[in-house]
mmCIF file of all heavy atoms in Angstrom:
data_model
loop_
_atom_site.group_PDB
_atom_site.id
_atom_site.type_symbol
_atom_site.label_atom_id
_atom_site.label_comp_id
_atom_site.label_asym_id
_atom_site.label_seq_id
_atom_site.Cartn_x
_atom_site.Cartn_y
_atom_site.Cartn_z
ATOM 1 N N TYR A 322 37.761 42.775 -18.556
ATOM 2 C CA TYR A 322 38.203 43.452 -19.769
ATOM 3 C C TYR A 322 39.518 43.956 -19.644
ATOM 4 O O TYR A 322 40.356 44.017 -20.735
ATOM 5 C CB TYR A 322 37.155 44.597 -19.971
ATOM 6 C CG TYR A 322 35.788 44.176 -20.493
ATOM 7 C CD1 TYR A 322 34.688 44.320 -19.593
ATOM 8 C CD2 TYR A 322 35.473 43.566 -21.640
ATOM 9 C CE1 TYR A 322 33.322 43.884 -19.899
ATOM 10 C CE2 TYR A 322 34.237 43.096 -21.970
ATOM 11 C CZ TYR A 322 33.184 43.314 -21.105
ATOM 12 O OH TYR A 322 31.949 42.822 -21.365
ATOM 13 N N GLY A 323 39.997 44.416 -18.598
ATOM 14 C CA GLY A 323 41.377 45.080 -18.457
ATOM 15 C C GLY A 323 42.403 44.024 -18.447
ATOM 16 O O GLY A 323 43.567 44.228 -18.930
ATOM 17 N N TYR A 324 42.231 42.953 -17.607
ATOM 18 C CA TYR A 324 43.295 42.069 -17.381
ATOM 19 C C TYR A 324 43.019 40.654 -17.927
ATOM 20 O O TYR A 324 43.899 39.726 -17.694
ATOM 21 C CB TYR A 324 43.555 41.988 -15.814
ATOM 22 C CG TYR A 324 44.058 43.210 -15.185
ATOM 23 C CD1 TYR A 324 43.217 44.232 -14.815
ATOM 24 C CD2 TYR A 324 45.410 43.562 -15.239
ATOM 25 C CE1 TYR A 324 43.643 45.393 -14.333
ATOM 26 C CE2 TYR A 324 45.853 44.731 -14.688
ATOM 27 C CZ TYR A 324 45.005 45.624 -14.196
ATOM 28 O OH TYR A 324 45.523 46.814 -13.781
ATOM 29 N N GLY A 325 41.908 40.444 -18.612
ATOM 30 C CA GLY A 325 41.734 39.159 -19.298
ATOM 31 C C GLY A 325 41.490 38.008 -18.339
ATOM 32 O O GLY A 325 41.697 36.817 -18.688
ATOM 33 N N ALA A 326 41.126 38.270 -17.079
ATOM 34 C CA ALA A 326 40.658 37.200 -16.162
ATOM 35 C C ALA A 326 39.466 36.597 -16.602
ATOM 36 O O ALA A 326 38.662 37.177 -17.341
ATOM 37 C CB ALA A 326 40.571 37.818 -14.781
ATOM 38 N N GLY A 327 39.169 35.344 -16.160
ATOM 39 C CA GLY A 327 38.015 34.594 -16.560
ATOM 40 C C GLY A 327 36.775 35.313 -15.838
ATOM 41 O O GLY A 327 36.780 36.079 -15.015
ATOM 42 N N SER A 328 35.571 34.975 -16.484
ATOM 43 C CA SER A 328 34.350 35.634 -15.962
ATOM 44 C C SER A 328 34.119 35.285 -14.436
ATOM 45 O O SER A 328 33.812 36.228 -13.580
ATOM 46 C CB SER A 328 33.072 35.149 -16.715
ATOM 47 O OG SER A 328 33.090 35.808 -17.974
ATOM 48 N N VAL A 329 34.185 33.924 -14.095
ATOM 49 C CA VAL A 329 33.903 33.650 -12.688
ATOM 50 C C VAL A 329 34.866 34.250 -11.826
ATOM 51 O O VAL A 329 34.573 34.774 -10.694
ATOM 52 C CB VAL A 329 33.840 32.058 -12.596
ATOM 53 C CG1 VAL A 329 33.647 31.737 -11.213
ATOM 54 C CG2 VAL A 329 32.695 31.634 -13.394
ATOM 55 N N THR A 330 36.234 34.187 -12.159
ATOM 56 C CA THR A 330 37.156 34.781 -11.282
ATOM 57 C C THR A 330 36.990 36.260 -11.131
ATOM 58 O O THR A 330 37.116 36.831 -9.984
ATOM 59 C CB THR A 330 38.624 34.595 -11.845
ATOM 60 O OG1 THR A 330 38.708 33.283 -12.308
ATOM 61 C CG2 THR A 330 39.660 34.829 -10.862
ATOM 62 N N SER A 331 36.639 36.944 -12.225
ATOM 63 C CA SER A 331 36.462 38.463 -12.091
ATOM 64 C C SER A 331 35.275 38.720 -11.188
ATOM 65 O O SER A 331 35.253 39.651 -10.364
ATOM 66 C CB SER A 331 36.134 38.992 -13.474
ATOM 67 O OG SER A 331 37.243 38.675 -14.539
ATOM 68 N N GLN A 332 34.166 37.849 -11.336
ATOM 69 C CA GLN A 332 33.067 38.182 -10.615
ATOM 70 C C GLN A 332 33.220 37.908 -9.174
ATOM 71 O O GLN A 332 32.827 38.671 -8.262
ATOM 72 C CB GLN A 332 31.913 37.222 -11.122
ATOM 73 C CG GLN A 332 30.549 37.412 -10.441
ATOM 74 C CD GLN A 332 29.858 38.597 -10.933
ATOM 75 O OE1 GLN A 332 30.417 39.579 -11.563
ATOM 76 N NE2 GLN A 332 28.642 38.782 -10.653
#
Side-chain angles (χ1 to χ4, degrees):
Y322 292 109
Y324 293 90
S328 281
V329 173
T330 314
S331 305
Q332 185 72 348

